[in-house]
Amino acid sequence: MNIAVTDSIAPARMGGARPLIRVVTVGHVDHGKSTLIGRLLHETGSLPDGKIEALKAVSDRRGMKFEWSFVLDALQTERDRGITLDTSQVHFRTAARDVVLIDAPGHAELLRNMITGAAQADAALLIVDAAEGVRGQTRRHAYLLHLLGLRQVAVLINKMDKVGFDEARFREIEAEIARHLASVELLATAFIPISARDGDGIARHSASLAWYDGPSVLEVLDQFPVNKPAADLPLRMPVQAIYAFGDQRIIAGRIESGRVAVGDEIMIAPRGTRARVRSIEAWPLPREAHAPQSADAGRSVGLTLDQAVLVDRGDIVATGAAPCKTVRRLRARVFWLHETPLKPGASVTVRLGMAECRGEIGAIENVVDPGELSAHGSSAIERNNVGDIEIALAQSIAADLHAANPRTGRLVLDLGGRIAGGGLVLAVEDEKESRGGGGAGGDRSSVRAEDLANLLRDLAPAERIARLRRDVEGKIIFTTSFGLEDQVILHLVAEQGADIDVVTLDTGRLFRETYHLWAETERRYGRRIRAIYPERDDLEALVERHGINGFYESRAARAACCHARKVAPLARALEDASAWIVGLRADQSVNRQGIDVVTRDAGLLKVSPLFDWTRETVHAFAAANGVPLNPLHAQGFASIGCASCTRATAPGEPERAGRWWWETDDKKECGLHVRPAGKE
Ligand code: SF4
């Protein structure tokens, strides 16, 4: 029996090697969260024997009808005899995973706990009442997920029993919430009709929902890609202390992520000095024969090195292959706790891991009052509000983006000697790169999207690319899928010899013609076009879960395939980029109307040099300049994607009609280009 409703902020792994996923539940207060949680605990056999019977007996005695929400209430009461914290964490097991459901009495608490690191989630369940539909709080909670940077969301349309399990009603709400999620840059992995009260759609399909072919709630919990365990992330060991024993110096710290072994070459950030690990010391002192040869994330160890190097408390032991950034300026999303509002110009102490230095607050944007959950124009962050801030640091420190490493991408701000706020590192300006020193990878740019758009809008596409390269520091990536627009952009990039990294997402499902064109384009322009491949584990999990061609079967399977083969590889490709060039045009589809030449997408400058060209203009340019084109265009393929999911379009059909032709227009994006027109 496995039940745990805890007030712990750091729950232990429950089942050894079983994957653990943390899922936050959000939605309008009356839309059935507690009922869902009670039902999930029951369906997974997580309640103690006799618990339901005891609660039913109490309900009978009181003359009340039994409700599944009583389960959570009862557990909550038992917990409250001890200590009351803001976030309850409900643990249970599915067939494949350990699940921690994170619930909170209010979104302010949830926001604070998630941003300051007291609670962390990998995915979210957003609950909507089928009878009431999308309410203001539903929209605010979708915005909350956006603020928290959560990208995996399943929408549960609950109380289907109240609407007679009507598919038309389900589709209506699905379309409405999908539009709203897209407006805050979220793509739902599944929309699931359920009746938490009666159990439909929770653990299995029911006759009442015979028209629904997607996953159940338990299935979707097993489908969410699990974030990498800390040990699989790059090595990060913030240095806590340096001990000297005679000639020997021991560098002590806790390994926050990755692993280290005797003989490994390490690099100490921010200095960038390198050395090899001579030994790993552990406490209590082992006999020499048993001295550890390696250590993983979570272990506190001492390292001795093969040579004397400069190292201080606050430095981070990393590797040359995956170094930390050396940072003097950074951008962070912070939850502010101090009664004095945080304003531009304020002087704070910034703590990142064991490092500590003075920082001055620069621009403040996107300030949100959690009571409203919508951005307002304030340039000060009041107590218990959230905002995005820029900080200029008094000295260089080592840092990671939260998106790259949640363990080390968090900071704490002190004001007047007190903890005053905590937050996520969204972007950093790498000191080496801002000095023009190169180095591995770039960071999100501090150039404002609106400013760059104003500069580029009136230029020709070739000048837009040249100006972008001149004005934006760091790595610029152009992703091509070898379609018409991509080939023209590649021609422009190649003609000016621009220092732009050209990559393609090789999903393994491309047309034969596309592979031929890839080789021909490399030859013609003498440029390497780097392939980014899906992770093998992701593909194996996908095929095991949905079958080889599962993407035709349901939208959830299609989204999972696009996620594994495109979205996740793209995220890796863009991890250290400042700007991303794409071949979008405004007249390609309704979804793309109103796009601008530059927008900001998850911290990146997203640049569409052909945004205002028509298809005819692009064709004419390609013909006039002998740009090699995919022969599929001549066969009626307007847009080039995976062979299995792209067909030719008939005359008069919209350009995007050939992509995922079996799905309706609002589902035709794969997650690479989902961004509301004109939104930052
Ligand atoms: Fe999979 Fe089709 Fe998406 Fe390609 S386009 S990744 S085959 S679902």
Side-chain angles (χ1 to χ4, degrees):
M1 191 63 57
N2 168 37
I3 173 169
V5 175
T6 78
D7 44 29
S8 163
I9 58 171
R13 275 184 161 275
M14 295 186 297
R18 281 165 58 88
L20 171 70
I21 186 152
R22 297 177 180 84
V23 181
V24 62
T25 52
V26 292
H28 187 280
V29 64
D30 295 325
H31 286 190
K33 272 195 300 178
S34 304
T35 305
L36 172 74
I37 295 170
R39 191 42 108 156
L40 281 169
L41 290 171
H42 172 66
E43 296 285 350
T44 52
S46 303
L47 292 170
D49 290 340
K51 188 79 187 174
I52 296 295
E53 291 69 22
L55 287 172
K56 283 184 175 165
V58 172
S59 304
D60 285 348
R61 276 204 302 280
R62 294 180 183 167
M64 296 163 70
K65 193 167 173 296
F66 170 75
E67 304 271 352
W68 285 100
S69 58
F70 295 169
V71 174
L72 199 63
D73 293 345
L75 297 171
Q76 185 80 32
T77 307
E78 286 154 21
R79 190 195 71 160
D80 283 349
R81 291 197 196 120
I83 180 171
T84 303
L85 286 186
D86 296 329
T87 305
S88 23
Q89 303 195 351
V90 181
H91 297 199
F92 61 89
R93 301 179 124 205
T94 65
R97 290 179 172 173
D98 294 339
V99 179
V100 179
L101 274 191
I102 301 168
D103 192 23
H107 41 253
E109 291 82 0
L110 187 62
L111 202 51
R112 184 183 65 205
N113 289 345
M114 296 267 297
I115 285 189
T116 56
Q120 290 183 37
D122 308 307
L125 298 177
L126 173 63
I127 300 158
V128 188
D129 184 315
E132 290 197 357
V134 175
R135 300 281 294 271
Q137 204 176 29
T138 316
R139 290 196 188 87
R140 287 196 290 276
H141 281 193
Y143 187 73
L144 169 76
L145 300 178
H146 158 81
L147 277 181
L148 294 172
L150 279 173
R151 288 285 170 262
Q152 305 188 66
V153 185
V155 179
L156 312 186
I157 300 179
N158 189 21
K159 306 192 189 179
M160 287 298 296
D161 49 294
K162 277 195 178 172
V163 297
F165 295 96
D166 180 27
E167 181 179 3
R169 177 65 183 150
F170 170 76
R171 298 289 171 211
E172 190 185 343
I173 298 177
E174 181 189 25
E176 187 182 356
I177 191 75
R179 271 196 305 278
H180 183 67
L181 290 177
S183 76
V184 291
E185 304 173 23
L186 290 169
L187 181 74
T189 44
F191 291 86
I192 310 177
I194 62 168
S195 166
R197 193 191 69 175
D198 299 339
D200 304 81
I202 304 296
R204 64 194 71 82
H205 297 298
S206 68
S208 313
L209 292 169
W211 46 265
Y212 172 70
D213 65 354
S216 66
V217 178
L218 286 182
E219 284 171 338
V220 91
L221 288 172
D222 279 346
Q223 276 173 23
F224 282 132
V226 179
N227 288 344
K228 279 185 180 169
D232 291 351
L233 293 168
L235 172 67
R236 297 291 186 260
M237 188 185 96
V239 176
Q240 284 172 0
I242 299 102
Y243 300 106
F245 296 102
D247 288 347
Q248 195 181 50
R249 288 195 319 152
I250 297 179
I251 301 167
R254 183 176 191 273
I255 302 174
E256 292 296 336
S257 64
R259 49 176 61 95
V260 68
V262 172
D264 281 356
E265 187 187 61
I266 52 116
M267 187 165 109
I268 299 172
R271 295 168 212 276
T273 42
R274 294 171 190 253
R276 282 197 185 277
V277 176
R278 193 169 61 192
S279 70
I280 298 174
E281 310 293 327
W283 292 271
L285 282 175
R287 296 201 311 275
E288 192 161 333
H290 297 115
Q293 292 300 298
S294 66
D296 281 3
R299 290 282 304 273
S300 291
V301 295
L303 305 179
T304 66
L305 305 179
D306 66 346
Q307 54 187 288
V309 294
L310 269 181
V311 56
D312 274 333
R313 177 182 161 85
D315 290 351
I316 295 184
V317 175
T319 62
C324 293
K325 309 294 182 190
T326 301
V327 177
R328 284 296 286 264
R329 296 183 69 85
L330 59 84
R331 186 175 165 84
R333 177 163 297 155
V334 295
F335 194 98
W336 189 245
L337 300 161
H338 204 282
E339 60 274 9
T340 306
L342 184 65
K343 293 184 177 157
S347 178
V348 293
T349 302
V350 181
R351 286 200 266 129
L352 259 154
M354 292 290 138
E356 192 175 304
C357 76
R358 300 299 300 163
E360 185 181 315
I361 305 300
I364 295 182
E365 293 177 329
N366 303 327
V367 177
V368 173
D369 174 350
E372 295 299 321
L373 281 182
S374 61
H376 55 76
S378 172
S379 61
I381 310 179
E382 303 281 342
R383 184 179 199 181
N384 290 334
N385 282 8
V386 177
D388 294 350
I389 61 173
E390 282 178 12
I391 313 175
L393 302 170
Q395 67 191 62
S396 302
I397 56 177
D400 282 309
L401 300 185
H402 178 260
N405 193 327
R407 307 270 161 169
T408 48
R410 291 181 183 279
L411 53 73
V412 171
L413 301 180
D414 284 1
L415 189 67
R418 267 175 51 197
I419 291 181
L424 318 177
V425 180
L426 300 180
V428 298
E429 184 178 305
D430 192 302
E431 200 179 36
K432 293 192 197 86
E433 284 154 11
S434 61
R435 284 199 310 258
D443 296 315
R444 304 308 196 241
S445 173
S446 59
V447 173
R448 281 166 47 87
E450 299 93 328
D451 296 345
L452 190 61
N454 289 338
L455 273 177
L456 302 191
R457 207 173 284 120
D458 296 330
L459 302 178
E463 292 168 327
R464 287 172 182 156
I465 292 169
R467 188 73 196 250
L468 169 72
R469 184 58 287 180
R470 206 176 79 205
D471 288 5
V472 173
E473 291 180 342
K475 187 191 275 188
I476 299 178
I477 290 199
F478 166 46
T479 48
T480 175
S481 50
F482 301 100
L484 172 66
E485 293 77 14
D486 292 339
Q487 287 298 96
V488 165
I489 293 174
L490 184 60
H491 176 90
L492 298 174
V493 167
E495 288 286 287
Q496 37 186 282
D499 177 18
I500 288 169
D501 190 14
V502 183
V503 303
T504 191
L505 306 175
D506 186 354
T507 61
R509 293 266 176 174
L510 304 183
F511 286 97
R512 188 167 46 91
E513 289 83 348
T514 303
Y515 288 108
H516 280 247
L517 180 64
W518 180 351
E520 184 191 343
T521 306
E522 285 196 343
R523 271 197 305 275
R524 155 83 193 266
Y525 294 109
R527 279 191 80 114
R528 168 113 194 281
I529 300 170
R530 238 169 14 100
I532 311 289
Y533 297 103
E535 296 273 17
R536 195 189 63 188
D537 289 354
D538 289 352
L539 281 187
E540 285 183 355
L542 175 78
V543 172
E544 191 173 320
R545 171 88 221 141
H546 293 293
I548 294 167
N549 292 317
F551 43 83
Y552 292 129
E553 304 299 325
S554 71
R555 175 160 191 275
R558 209 272 293 155
C561 185
C562 281
H563 191 277
R565 293 181 192 272
K566 293 178 169 182
V567 180
L570 177 73
R572 268 188 280 123
L574 296 177
E575 205 170 73
D576 57 356
S578 305
W580 173 29
I581 299 177
V582 293
L584 301 191
R585 287 186 294 104
D587 72 347
Q588 275 169 326
S589 71
V590 178
N591 287 345
R592 294 178 184 180
Q593 280 172 9
I595 62 165
D596 201 350
V597 61
V598 184
T599 55
R600 194 171 278 279
D601 192 326
L604 264 182
L605 294 167
K606 187 171 173 182
V607 182
S608 306
L610 305 182
F611 86 105
D612 53 351
W613 277 21
T614 63
R615 187 168 182 82
E616 289 67 39
T617 323
V618 186
H619 252 304
F621 180 95
N625 292 277
V627 175
L629 294 185
N630 198 316
L632 292 168
H633 289 310
Q635 298 168 32
F637 286 78
S639 162
I640 307 294
C642 289
S644 34
C645 299
T646 312
R647 66 158 169 76
T649 49
E653 272 193 309
E655 280 187 38
R656 302 278 296 171
R659 301 297 290 277
W660 308 294
W661 64 91
W662 63 93
E663 292 193 341
T664 52
D665 276 354
D666 58 321
K667 295 176 181 168
K668 278 182 184 287
E669 298 289 1
C670 62
L672 298 184
H673 303 302
V674 174
R675 192 196 63 76
K679 266 190 84 83
E680 272 301 288

